[in-house]
Amino acid sequence: MAVNLLSTTGMSFALRRRLIVLLATAVALVAGLAPVGYAIYLAYKTTVVNAEDNLRSIAQDIATDTSQLLNNINQGLIALTDLTYKCSAKDVSAMNTMSYDIPGISEIGLISPDRELVCTGWGPIKPPLKPELPPPQAGFRLLGPLEIRLMKRYGLIAMRQREDGSEIVALIHPSVLIGHMGADLGEHGFAVLLRREDTHLYAWEGNVPEMEMVASEAEAGDGSTQLRALFRDGVERTLFAVEVDGFPGIYSVVAAADEWILHDWQRMAVLLGGIGAGTSALLVFLIVGILQRRLSLQGELERSLHKDEFEINYQPVIELGSGRCVGAEALICWCQPGGKRVRPDLFIPLAEDTGLIEPMTVWLMQKLRTEIGQLLQDDRALHIAINLSPGHFESDRILQSSSSIFGNSGILPEQIIYEITERGLIDDADGKAKDIMRRLQSRKSGIALDDFGTGYSSLSYVETFPLDYLKIDKRFVDTVGVDALNTGMLVTIIDMARRLGLRTIAEGVETARQADYLLSRGVDYAQGWYFSRAMPAAEFIEFVHTTNRNLKQ
Ligand code: G
Ligand code: G
Ligand code: MN
């Protein structure tokens, strides 16, 4: 019977499944990565701020140290104002003492007004040297770095002009400054002194490439200037420049490339990124795993319905007074290929959630029509009970499908009992469910309340809905002869049903004692293993015949 049962579900299952998995994966990725992304962003901000503070304070330290050093040298040169050109022993000794006393000075010399080096701490220079020097200039100044040929090294020269035009020069070894600049600034970082007019570097460490262009410049407070500059080596650097106090135009400059500034952050980002990726992967794994399982069960359910892999088991219902079989409850059963049977309580809730329950019930009605239609025609006293779900009461479709399936099947509407379960809550604010039940009843079908006493609104159901039967749940039947207190509940339920004019069906009857007790209390019908298990149609038909034939004899 290949009806298109899937027409109600719209989009193809495979497509929907892929979409859901994709969506869940995206959600899991976002949930796992977003917090980590934010943490990485915050860490980035903090790292940059810290690194810049660090660079600025290095530049300031160097400026302070340099200021002190140059000040000392300047003071020393001022103290030597009465040196004579004679280069006497006294002159030489004064120069020597000075170069020992003042850190940073490695040599002192005297340049005559006609630009000749006449005297040093080593003694008179004979004949005098004529070094290449810039034109004289008043006060203190700094030159260099110049290559000092004697030493084959670079040095800085501090000069101070005297009133007669002569100059005292001090040779400063740059290592003094470099010592102050020993901070580790990474492969592309450096610390230098810089003179504004000629952008000349006074002291350096490593290779200092020429600056190509300055991208931005900002006063960073504390008298320091922050720059972003591209250099000839193609590396962009952040620089801080601080003017050396007391020596206008001379700057302490430190520079570092991003790789140094972001070094710690990069390590942290890798770590956090790993954690985030791990979390996401775990989430994706879990969510997709759960979905796959659920979706695959759902998918299998849909396919099975197509392939007619379901069966109906009929559980006989016995009239307690006479022992007659008055019909059966139709229970759907999922018999997977390979003989595996799946219990309804595993797949019915899924079918209810996915709306598949409607085509399943349609299938069940069609199937029972072919299987026991003849039996029901032959014995008009027989009933068949069909389980409905809360979803069935949200639209008129059950009215249409039942009348079209049973319409001219030979099965009379009064032979059908619809069971509504108490487990799923029917919220009937608009009276829709009640209306559907009334219309089923107007065809003379019966309405039974299933699982009575197991839900939270048993009494409100009884009050709200137009019922014909009450099915007493197995757990009350189980109390017979065992649990006096709850037998009280059983008695109460039976009495209540009688007062409301409802016929009673006891479920899960397993012993003769239970059956006798229920009969003595006036229960009308019973089903359960004491009478028979649920069974396939052919066996059920046989069961009806033997049970009822034996009674007639
Ligand atoms: O005896 P068994 O374990 O098969 O019990 C089946 C349970 O599943 C019953 O509680 C019954 O309410 C439910 N069930 C069985 N068949 C159907 C069906 O066709 N539709 C609905 N909605 N429920 C069913
Ligand atoms: O539709 P309903 O929810 O009443 O389904 C009854 C459930 O109880 C089914 O799972 C069925 O297999 C089971 N059942 C039916 N009769 C007996 C019985 O006598 N004893 C036990 N233990 N289970 C039963
Ligand atoms: Mn039932």
Side-chain angles (χ1 to χ4, degrees), residues 315 329 331 387 419 423 450-451 474 507-510 528-529:
Q315 180 156 44
E329 175 179 1
L331 295 167
N387 290 285
E419 295 190 6
R423 281 166 313 189
D450 202 358
D451 310 305
K474 180 177 186 304
E507 288 188 289
V509 177
E510 290 179 340
W529 295 350

Coordinates of all heavy atoms in Angstrom, one line a residue, residues 315 329 331 387 419 423 450-451 474 507-510 528-529, ligand 2:
Q315 N -3.9 -6.5 20.8 CA -4.1 -7.0 22.2 C -5.6 -7.2 22.5 O -6.3 -6.2 22.5 CB -3.4 -6.1 23.2 CG -3.6 -6.7 24.6 CD -2.5 -6.2 25.6 OE1 -2.2 -5.0 25.6 NE2 -2.0 -7.2 26.4
E329 N -7.0 -3.9 21.1 CA -6.3 -2.6 20.9 C -5.2 -2.8 19.9 O -4.4 -3.7 20.0 CB -5.7 -2.1 22.3 CG -4.9 -0.8 22.1 CD -4.2 -0.3 23.4 OE1 -4.4 -0.9 24.4 OE2 -3.6 0.8 23.3
L331 N -1.9 -2.1 18.4 CA -0.6 -1.5 18.8 C 0.4 -1.6 17.6 O 0.6 -2.7 17.1 CB -0.1 -2.3 20.0 CG -0.9 -2.2 21.3 CD1 -0.5 -3.2 22.3 CD2 -0.9 -0.8 21.9
N387 N -5.0 4.0 19.0 CA -4.3 5.1 19.9 C -4.1 6.3 19.1 O -3.5 6.3 18.0 CB -3.0 4.6 20.4 CG -3.1 3.5 21.4 OD1 -3.5 3.7 22.6 ND2 -2.9 2.2 21.0
E419 N -8.5 6.0 21.4 CA -7.9 6.2 22.7 C -7.1 7.5 22.7 O -6.3 7.8 21.8 CB -7.0 5.1 23.1 CG -7.7 3.7 23.2 CD -6.7 2.7 23.8 OE1 -5.6 3.0 24.2 OE2 -7.2 1.5 23.9
R423 N -0.9 11.1 28.7 CA 0.5 11.4 29.0 C 0.9 12.7 28.3 O 1.6 13.5 29.0 CB 1.4 10.3 28.4 CG 1.5 9.1 29.4 CD 2.1 8.0 28.7 NE 1.5 7.8 27.4 CZ 1.7 6.7 26.6 NH1 2.5 5.8 27.0 NH2 1.1 6.6 25.5
D450 N -6.9 6.9 27.9 CA -5.9 5.9 28.1 C -5.0 6.3 29.2 O -4.9 7.5 29.6 CB -5.0 5.8 26.8 CG -4.3 4.4 26.7 OD1 -4.4 3.6 27.6 OD2 -3.6 4.2 25.7
D451 N -4.3 5.4 29.8 CA -3.3 5.6 30.9 C -3.9 6.5 32.0 O -3.1 7.3 32.6 CB -2.1 6.4 30.3 CG -1.5 5.6 29.1 OD1 -1.2 4.4 29.2 OD2 -1.5 6.3 28.0
K474 N -2.2 0.1 34.3 CA -1.6 -1.1 34.9 C -1.2 -0.9 36.3 O -1.2 -1.8 37.1 CB -0.5 -1.6 34.0 CG 0.2 -2.8 34.5 CD 1.3 -3.3 33.5 CE 1.9 -4.6 33.9 NZ 2.4 -4.7 35.2
E507 N -6.1 -2.3 32.4 CA -5.0 -2.7 31.6 C -4.0 -3.4 32.4 O -3.9 -3.3 33.6 CB -4.3 -1.4 31.1 CG -5.0 -0.6 30.0 CD -4.2 0.5 29.5 OE1 -3.9 1.5 30.2 OE2 -3.7 0.4 28.3
G508 N -3.2 -4.3 31.7 CA -2.1 -5.0 32.3 C -2.5 -6.0 33.3 O -1.9 -6.2 34.3
V509 N -3.7 -6.7 33.1 CA -4.1 -7.7 34.0 C -3.3 -9.0 33.8 O -3.2 -9.5 32.7 CB -5.6 -8.0 33.8 CG1 -6.0 -9.2 34.7 CG2 -6.4 -6.8 34.0
E510 N -2.6 -9.5 34.9 CA -1.7 -10.6 34.7 C -2.1 -11.8 35.5 O -1.6 -12.9 35.2 CB -0.3 -10.1 35.2 CG 0.3 -9.1 34.2 CD 1.7 -8.7 34.6 OE1 2.1 -8.8 35.8 OE2 2.5 -8.1 33.8
G528 N -4.6 -7.7 29.0 CA -3.4 -8.0 29.7 C -2.9 -9.4 29.5 O -3.6 -10.2 28.8
W529 N -1.7 -9.7 30.0 CA -1.1 -11.0 29.7 C -1.9 -12.2 30.2 O -1.7 -13.3 29.8 CB 0.3 -11.0 30.1 CG 1.2 -10.0 29.4 CD1 0.8 -9.3 28.3 CD2 2.5 -9.6 29.7 NE1 1.8 -8.4 27.9 CE2 2.9 -8.6 28.8 CE3 3.4 -9.9 30.7 CZ2 4.1 -8.0 28.8 CZ3 4.7 -9.3 30.7 CH2 5.0 -8.3 29.8
Ligands
G2 O1 -1.6 1.6 25.2 P1 -0.9 1.2 26.5 O2 -0.2 2.4 27.0 O3 -1.9 0.8 27.5 O4 0.0 0.0 26.2 C1 0.1 -1.0 27.2 C2 1.6 -1.4 27.4 O5 1.6 -2.4 28.4 C3 2.2 -2.0 26.2 O6 3.6 -1.8 26.2 C4 2.0 -3.5 26.4 O7 3.0 -4.3 25.7 C5 2.1 -3.6 27.8 N1 1.2 -4.7 28.4 C6 0.0 -5.1 28.0 N2 -0.5 -6.0 28.8 C7 0.4 -6.2 29.8 C8 0.5 -7.0 30.9 O8 -0.4 -7.8 31.3 N3 1.6 -7.0 31.7 C9 2.6 -6.2 31.4 N4 3.7 -6.2 32.2 N5 2.6 -5.3 30.3 C10 1.5 -5.4 29.5

